[in-house]
Amino acid sequence: MEHVVFFDLIIGLLIATTVINKRLNILENIFILITLEFIITGYVAVLTINLGLWEMAKNAEPYTILRLHEIIILPVLYLWYFNLLDAFKSLLGKSVLTLGALLIFYGSEYLLVRWNVITYNSWNAWYSIFVLFGVIIFIQLLRRGFKHRMLKEGIPN
Amino acid sequence: MPLPQEFDHNEWFLLISLVLIYGVMFLLPKHIPTTITILVMIFSILSARFLDHLMAGPTINFYDMMDTGKYDLTDVFLYFLYGPFGYFFIYVYEKFNIQGLAVLFYILICSLFSIGYEWLNVHFDVFNYKNWALRYSFTVYMGVQAITILFYHFVKNRYELLKASNT
């Protein structure tokens, strides 16, 4: 039953992401999304296949849920975060948003653990939060470079 | 991320391919704006990553890449090979203003070229097939290249709209 709820959440998230007005322009959104997809699928592969720190459930249903989580849910949540980030001008506002976003990102991973989609081996929540924060920093750096390039070519924010 | 078990023929093949392809890319006269180039290149890299992630993982495993079935450091470099290929694909498409039915023939020719290059990769043990055949890759390339053209048109259209809104 909870897995069905998960699919409902994905559809809802996708609809909301499509219809909502975004603060960043479409090219920057595409850049963030496709870069995130590459990074997230990469670290999930390292944690599951290479290091065995996350054990994946073998059945088709949990496998699909994990794939949907790394390909749709997490990247789209990050996209929301980066769009909202520009709305906050003060450092305090940005910090609170980042903290809240990390909790939501981890919350989505926690659901995977709770539903036995993944099982932690010598891994804990703090490591995940650290990795999720690392992704924010990395994307933020790449995003700045891309933004700089866009401005040089006369594309406004 | 594991390093290669041995730096042998497949790593050398990958390294030489990277040097050659990036060399040609930087020597070519610029024809597509850098912003679009970046997006097309990442899109091409991501297409390869997605397909490998879904088809060469532990649950569904049609093939392995490089020395192990794991996500090696050399796998990452292998993905960076797809970026310039995507760029060349769009570069020629744009340069010769390919339109109409010619698009289909262009995709067919590029897919044939791609399986030719993949055959070389198999020969040099970059790809190790398990339940996969070169013929299947042709179908995948056809689909991916068609999507790449759609993606390019979408991005180009938005790029021009954004640029026009700034003037």
Side-chain angles (χ1 to χ4, degrees), chain B residues 1-6 11 67-68 72-74:
Chain B
M1 234 175 228
L3 293 169
Q5 287 174 339
E6 257 182 275
E11 281 80 17
D67 293 350
T68 66
D72 298 357
L73 189 65
T74 43

Side-chain angles (χ1 to χ4, degrees), chain B residues 1 6 23 25 28 40 44 46 48-49 51 60 65 73 86 103 119 123 125 129 137 157:
Chain B
M1 234 175 228
E6 257 182 275
M25 193 184 132
L28 271 178
V40 166
S44 303
L46 183 67
R49 174 78 198 116
L51 291 167
I60 303 166
M65 293 179 299
L73 189 65
V103 175
W119 177 82
H123 184 73
D125 293 323
Y129 293 162
S137 298
N157 179 271

Side-chain angles (χ1 to χ4, degrees), chain A residues 25-27 30-31 34-35 37-38 41-42 45-46 49-50 56 58 63 67 70-71 146 149-150 153-156, chain B residues 1-2 33-35 38-39 42-43 45-46 49-50 53-54 58-59 70-71 79 151 154-155 158-159 162-163 166:
Chain A
N25 74 43
I26 183 83
L27 298 179
I30 293 173
F31 174 79
I34 58 180
T35 311
E37 300 278 4
F38 185 76
T41 55
V46 169
I49 304 166
N50 290 12
M56 271 192 290
K58 299 281 183 279
Y63 176 81
R67 291 293 175 244
E70 64 179 335
I71 290 170
F146 187 72
R149 191 64 241 174
M150 280 198 305
E153 290 179 15
I155 308 277
Chain B
M1 234 175 228
T34 310
T35 302
I38 293 169
L39 292 176
I42 301 176
F43 182 80
I45 291 169
L46 183 67
R49 174 78 198 116
F50 257 12
H53 195 54
L54 296 175
T59 312
K70 292 186 172 179
Y71 188 47
Y79 289 128
F151 176 78
F154 178 76
V155 165
R158 298 296 151 148
Y159 178 88
L162 283 167
K163 207 160 180 179
N166 199 29

Side-chain angles (χ1 to χ4, degrees), chain B residues 61-81:
Chain B
N61 193 6
F62 289 123
Y63 52 90
D64 284 338
M65 293 179 299
M66 303 305 284
D67 293 350
T68 66
K70 292 186 172 179
Y71 188 47
D72 298 357
L73 189 65
T74 43
D75 291 359
V76 179
F77 287 107
L78 181 61
Y79 289 128
F80 281 96
L81 206 56

